[in-house]
Amino acid sequence: MKAIALTRYLPIDDPKSLEDVELPTPTPAGRDLLIKVEAISVNPVDTKVRAPKDKVEASPRVLGWDAAGTVAAVGPDVTLFKVGDPVYYAGSITRPGANSEFHLVDERITGHMPVSLDFANAAALPLTTITAWEALFDRLGVAPDGGDEGKSILIVGGAGGVGSIAIQLARRLAKLTVVATASRPESADWCRQLGAQHVIDHYQDMPTQLKAIGLPQVEFVLCLNDTDTHFPAMAEAVAPQGKICSIVENAGPLEIGLLKSKSATFVWEFMFTRAMYETPDMIAQHKLLTEVARLVDAGTLRTTVGQVIGPINATNLRRAHAQLEGGRTIGKLVLAGF
């Protein structure tokens, strides 16, 4: 099968950073599905895993944790899918990625694809949707049925992949007042199109801007951009007994003591946790992806594609990585077809 892989971890402008290769087609076992991959999307985790370091892989390593395609074969223990089913998923970071013609994924972290979307639009959703859903409803404890209507959330970094779906979930399902951050007119417009009632600039004083829009404190904060830099502002902005969730690893110690007088919570979200540790509730990702497909088909949620770059090959994948590393991407970058 065709695949895009690396053996060395090089700057993305090096043609050998990601290369077209031929690999054996894998065989499904246990609860695995063999997927014929039709489209993939690229996330910051891809660029972080690929980042230059002094390491050489003994065999080609395939990255990619967002895909849509059809079930080509199933393992003997599969019960949720059959051959021919269109699916979408993010997969597991502990297994080979989806930047290949065929790919193995556990059925418990795979969802039935929205029938109203093509493969390219569906591939934009899984990783960011799982991340946003878990961050809001599992980590922050927001009620997905509107039970927290009237409360507010600050989403730091609203125009990226996770922010694009988090705004929709927070506004349309949870009925929260959504304040998103964006630093450019085009990214601010994107956040408003997705449902944010207010947009502020995370490069400016966020607490001051929140006060100016009449929301000096918010019950929930979701950090999708530079935890280290924004932590003091988020600690000031969060309401007493409020909650902050971040998906962005910190480089240095966080001043967690800033939350003590407020009895506020800080929690991490890492969407690979369930698959990595095969937690007892691993199947929750299958359920949420299937529910999100229903919400997309009902018109409640929309896909978050920012750009379809072209066919799946090393040249286009390097372009996508380079664009993501530039830090100014709106929505998701997708590649479709081999």
Side-chain angles (χ1 to χ4, degrees):
M1 66 176 183
K2 296 178 182 177
I4 298 94
L6 60 79
T7 52
R8 292 187 294 155
Y9 296 82
L10 302 167
I12 199 58
D13 58 0
D14 190 314
K16 294 186 178 297
S17 59
L18 291 169
E19 298 184 284
D20 293 305
V21 298
E22 291 279 338
L23 296 174
T25 301
T27 301
R31 299 189 72 171
D32 279 344
L33 308 172
L34 178 67
I35 307 301
K36 183 181 185 299
V37 176
E38 301 289 352
I40 60 172
S41 71
V42 187
N43 295 282
V45 64
D46 299 62
T47 66
K48 291 172 184 175
V49 172
R50 198 219 76 249
K53 51 183 166 283
D54 188 18
K55 180 180 180 182
V56 178
E57 298 289 347
S59 57
R61 182 180 182 184
V62 179
L63 309 183
W65 294 280
D66 251 343
T70 55
V71 178
V74 300
D77 300 327
V78 167
T79 61
L80 303 173
F81 298 90
K82 64 183 186 302
V83 172
D85 283 348
V87 297
Y88 72 145
Y89 61 92
S92 171
I93 201 165
T94 60
R95 304 183 69 176
N99 296 341
S100 55
E101 278 189 290
F102 292 92
H103 182 236
L104 293 179
V105 62
D106 192 296
E107 66 171 347
R108 290 169 290 180
I109 55 173
T110 306
H112 292 280
M113 204 176 90
V115 297
S116 60
L117 297 183
D118 61 15
F119 291 112
N121 280 280
L125 288 171
L127 185 144
T128 51
T129 297
I130 294 169
T131 301
W133 187 287
E134 291 184 346
L136 290 169
F137 305 135
D138 295 343
R139 314 303 175 214
L140 289 173
V142 175
D145 60 357
D148 286 310
E149 186 172 3
K151 295 181 180 179
S152 301
I153 185 169
L154 171 65
I155 299 176
V156 182
V162 178
S164 294
I165 193 71
I167 289 171
Q168 297 182 68
L169 293 173
R171 176 73 186 278
R172 298 176 190 175
L173 267 64
K175 310 298 183 186
L176 300 179
T177 297
V178 178
V179 183
T181 78
S183 60
R184 294 174 292 145
E186 55 268 38
S187 53
D189 287 345
W190 175 261
C191 291
R192 292 189 184 96
Q193 290 171 27
L194 294 171
Q197 292 101 318
H198 307 281
V199 180
I200 63 175
D201 187 343
H202 49 255
Y203 289 125
Q204 306 301 322
D205 186 314
M206 289 194 289
T208 297
Q209 294 176 82
L210 286 170
K211 291 171 186 173
I213 61 175
L215 291 170
Q217 294 185 319
V218 294
E219 288 83 2
F220 306 106
V221 181
L222 177 54
C223 180
L224 312 175
N225 176 283
D226 197 343
T227 305
D228 294 280
T229 296
H230 298 307
F231 190 79
M234 295 189 295
E236 183 178 343
V238 73
Q241 303 183 91
K243 296 181 179 181
I244 300 171
C245 176
S246 180
I247 70 167
V248 185
E249 64 271 22
N250 57 307
L254 296 177
E255 294 182 79
I256 202 74
L258 294 173
L259 303 178
K260 184 177 186 300
S261 68
K262 291 182 175 180
S263 297
T265 298
F266 178 79
V267 63
W268 292 109
E269 158 58 17
F270 185 53
M271 63 78 52
F272 291 117
T273 296
R274 283 173 161 137
M276 179 182 291
Y277 295 99
E278 294 195 8
T279 60
D281 67 346
M282 184 173 166
I283 200 169
Q285 292 190 349
H286 161 73
K287 293 176 180 176
L288 80 83
L289 284 172
T290 300
E291 172 62 8
V292 166
R294 186 189 70 78
L295 292 167
V296 169
D297 289 336
T300 305
L301 301 176
R302 53 171 277 195
T303 186
T304 56
V305 172
Q307 181 183 356
V308 178
I309 290 179
I312 304 169
N313 57 45
T315 299
N316 285 336
L317 200 53
R318 289 196 300 270
R319 283 179 54 206
H321 276 237
Q323 190 168 328
L324 267 188
E325 288 181 347
R328 298 172 73 84
T329 300
I330 297 174
K332 294 293 295 291
L333 302 177
V334 173
L335 288 74
F338 279 89

